[in-house]
Amino acid sequence: MAGGGKLYANREGLVSKHVATHSNLPFVLHGEHFLCDSASFSGVQTFSPFLKQFGSYNEKKATWALPTRTVSLMNSLPLLGKFLGSMIVGPVIERFGHLQVTSHTPAQFIVGRMFIYIAVGLVENVVPTYESEICPAPLRGFCVGSIQLFLTFGSLIAGIANEYLSGYTGNEGWMIATGMQGVPAVIILLGLPFTPNSPRWLINNNRREEALSTLHRIRPQRLVDEGLCELEISVLENSETTHEKQPWSALFNSANRRRTGIALTIMALQQLTGVTFSSSYGTTFYKQVGLGSMAFTYAAVNNGVSVVTAAIGMVLFDTFGRRDVTFHGCWVQTVFLCLIGGLGSKTNRTSSDTHGMVASFIIYAAVLHATLGPSAYITAAEVGTASLREKTMAISTALNVVVSFVVVYTTPYLLSTPGANLGPKLGYIWAGFAFVGAVWVWFCMPELKGRSLEEVDELFAAKLPAWKFKSYKTHGRFEVEMSPEEKEGKKEIEHTEV
């Protein structure tokens, strides 16, 4: 059981619609999250052999433990690799496209985790921007939101593996759990040859025939036969080639700072409501509140429920909109995080209080993974202008990493002693940020459901308040210049079920 700011183990061991891409695309591109490193390490760091390998023995408690500083560094330092991956990805995509990025898993533990997170940083930028460009507007939330499904599914697989491997008395348990992270890299490499480049990126690089060929592959045969792919290419040529890639400084000029600010804020809020706490310290939390024998089971239940809600969230964003789903998700998180803090703060906590706190933790995480979690990726991927889309995603993900680093590094000190020893009261802190998130969404987050990326440009050019985006009717120059037949064809491209 956790206590004294350390992780302990006794000497004996621890107790629809069709997507307008290839059918294997989300699986291939999100493969790096299939066995999520943070979720895997959440359980690995409580394995008795792992604690013996990297911790020290406490004679008084007759346990092996990782000191608070070691726990903090092992969970936070790898995020520096993710930060590096996030910062280099923008120029890489602009030059080479979305599909030249691969990943690898070195054997060394901490250095290996840092390399893993470089790959994660690349994937978390490449995939959402790619999917936002290649998917029809009515399916963009579904496609980009799938990243959260793979994150939670990876956590579920990692949790099941951790529960099974925690019974190993030798080092092979935590070594196998760590080595399993090489599987997604192989999946990605095998799937990349079957994954097409973004037509928008191809058009922007004067590769019209390749872009048209890609559309012929990913659009329904009916649209191909009717020549609507050629019309789509014409629309892209008229819009994308007018947007030369701008430098990093353009992110904060008068024309773009609002869009950049939205991406940065929602990516920061995703971490400030405790998502990293849930994934990195979930098992530790269950042990600390006195549920050591059920810690892995509850973590698996938590992950399983989150997988279901993440899948539901993929549908919600294109049905009810990004703004409404995110707003309601934030205030519901606030309620259950306050319940965690309130029930956990009782001096004489009953068994019912403890299990109520666990239920609140599971519901909070489930709501997060269905709402704010995927919403951050969706919004950051679609809010940037064509000339800065990759850089907008890169800088917002980089901030996400910085905030995540702070959260992961400070959590052991906030959770236990030496430190603030807040325990379940930590829920109040995350609740405060969730409440701030709800207020921010109401006043600042625009609704971009069903809008093409070209329409998004017009919406921001109109300088509307966030709550008026949904009702505003766009009249872009490409719409005006089209004949009635062409307008109908373009509308069918954007709204067809492939």
Side-chain angles (χ1 to χ4, degrees):
M1 174 177 172
K6 301 179 181 181
L7 297 177
Y8 289 108
N10 58 36
R11 192 181 290 270
E12 289 71 35
L14 285 173
V15 194
S16 165
K17 291 173 183 271
H18 299 285
V19 180
T21 57
H22 279 77
S23 60
N24 69 333
L25 178 60
F27 183 79
V28 170
L29 293 182
H30 291 311
E32 189 63 35
H33 300 104
F34 186 70
L35 291 174
C36 182
D37 177 72
S38 61
S40 175
F41 188 62
S42 173
V44 167
Q45 64 186 326
T46 65
F47 285 15
S48 180
F50 183 88
L51 297 176
K52 293 178 182 179
Q53 180 74 20
F54 297 103
S56 56
Y57 186 68
N58 186 309
E59 294 288 348
K60 183 177 180 180
K61 295 179 177 291
T63 55
W64 292 90
L66 290 177
T68 301
R69 178 179 175 82
T70 302
V71 176
S72 178
L73 292 176
M74 279 190 168
N75 280 279
S76 61
L77 283 181
L79 293 172
L80 297 177
K82 185 176 179 181
F83 180 85
L84 176 62
S86 298
M87 293 309 297
I88 68 175
V89 71
V92 168
I93 297 175
E94 289 176 2
R95 180 174 182 131
F96 300 109
H98 296 79
L99 305 180
Q100 298 295 323
V101 180
T102 58
S103 55
H104 43 56
T105 310
Q108 294 84 2
F109 196 80
I110 294 183
V111 175
R113 292 195 76 211
M114 293 181 72
F115 273 100
I116 291 170
Y117 270 86
I118 291 177
V120 171
L122 291 170
V123 170
E124 286 192 5
N125 282 272
V126 171
V127 176
T129 55
Y130 174 81
E131 291 180 332
S132 71
E133 291 186 0
I134 203 170
C135 296
L139 294 178
R140 197 165 58 239
F142 179 90
C143 294
V144 180
S146 65
I147 189 172
Q148 198 68 35
L149 175 64
F150 279 83
L151 282 166
T152 54
F153 190 65
S155 297
L156 176 62
I157 298 300
I160 293 172
N162 285 340
E163 183 169 13
Y164 175 75
L165 294 169
S166 64
Y168 281 57
T169 57
N171 286 334
E172 64 271 17
W174 66 264
M175 292 177 69
I176 293 173
T178 303
M180 287 173 64
Q181 296 164 79
V183 175
V186 176
I187 295 173
I188 292 175
L189 290 172
L190 292 176
L192 284 177
F194 305 99
T195 308
N197 263 307
S198 161
R200 281 183 168 83
W201 180 82
L202 292 169
I203 287 293
N204 210 45
N205 285 270
N206 300 313
R207 294 160 64 175
R208 185 183 191 280
E209 293 305 315
E210 289 182 58
L212 182 58
S213 176
T214 294
L215 287 180
H216 284 170
R217 290 174 58 192
I218 66 176
R219 297 296 187 240
Q221 189 59 44
R222 179 173 57 84
L223 295 185
V224 175
D225 294 340
E226 294 176 3
L228 294 181
C229 291
E230 283 76 9
L231 175 59
E232 186 172 356
I233 287 292
S234 177
V235 172
L236 293 179
E237 284 181 317
N238 288 332
S239 58
E240 291 293 326
T241 55
T242 63
H243 296 291
E244 294 183 1
K245 297 301 180 182
Q246 298 183 63
W248 288 94
S249 58
L251 287 167
F252 299 99
N253 64 25
S254 58
N256 297 309
R257 67 169 67 103
R258 181 186 183 188
R259 302 168 80 155
T260 304
I262 290 170
L264 290 172
T265 302
I266 196 166
M267 278 296 219
L269 284 171
Q270 184 202 56
Q271 293 296 327
L272 288 171
T273 58
V275 64
T276 309
F277 168 72
S278 174
S279 62
S280 296
Y281 297 107
T283 307
T284 304
F285 175 78
Y286 291 129
K287 287 178 176 292
Q288 190 192 50
V289 298
L291 299 170
S293 62
M294 294 292 290
F296 286 106
T297 301
Y298 283 133
V301 171
N302 191 354
N303 292 328
V305 173
S306 294
V307 167
V308 175
T309 57
I312 294 172
M314 291 169 60
V315 178
L316 293 179
F317 287 106
D318 287 325
T319 303
F320 300 103
R322 288 83 159 120
R323 179 180 164 88
D324 287 348
V325 171
T326 308
F327 172 74
H328 291 299
C330 284
W331 74 256
V332 172
Q333 285 181 73
T334 302
V335 171
F336 284 99
L337 284 166
C338 286
L339 283 173
I340 293 172
L343 293 172
S345 300
K346 289 187 175 182
T347 304
N348 299 312
R349 192 168 63 227
T350 66
S351 176
S352 297
D353 293 332
T354 299
H355 286 92
M357 183 171 52
V358 170
S360 297
F361 188 90
I362 292 173
I363 295 173
Y364 140 73
V367 172
L368 170 62
H369 291 302
T371 58
L372 181 59
S375 177
Y377 293 111
I378 295 169
T379 302
E382 65 187 2
V383 77
T385 184
S387 58
L388 289 167
R389 188 167 296 124
E390 296 83 7
K391 292 185 176 73
T392 301
M393 189 70 195
I395 195 172
S396 60
T397 306
L399 178 63
N400 180 280
V401 174
V402 171
V403 177
S404 177
F405 179 90
V406 173
V407 170
V408 173
Y409 184 84
T410 59
T411 292
Y413 297 98
L414 294 172
L415 194 62
S416 307
T417 55
N421 196 30
L422 294 177
K425 294 179 184 178
L426 191 57
Y428 287 133
I429 295 179
W430 307 138
F433 285 116
F435 177 78
V436 170
V439 174
W440 176 83
V441 170
W442 184 263
F443 288 103
C444 301
M445 183 177 175
E447 180 56 74
L448 302 179
K449 183 192 86 168
R451 304 286 192 172
S452 70
L453 296 179
E454 290 70 38
E455 285 181 290
V456 171
D457 290 338
E458 184 177 344
L459 288 167
F460 278 101
K463 298 182 179 180
L464 305 167
W467 54 87
K468 290 187 177 181
F469 272 58
K470 183 177 181 179
S471 59
Y472 186 82
K473 184 176 181 181
T474 56
H475 299 283
R477 64 186 179 90
F478 305 117
E479 289 279 351
V480 173
E481 292 172 359
M482 289 181 183
S483 66
E485 294 78 11
E486 289 175 324
K487 289 181 182 179
E488 186 63 27
K490 179 176 180 290
K491 183 177 179 181
E492 186 172 4
I493 288 174
E494 292 180 346
H495 294 277
T496 186
E497 291 186 10
V498 180

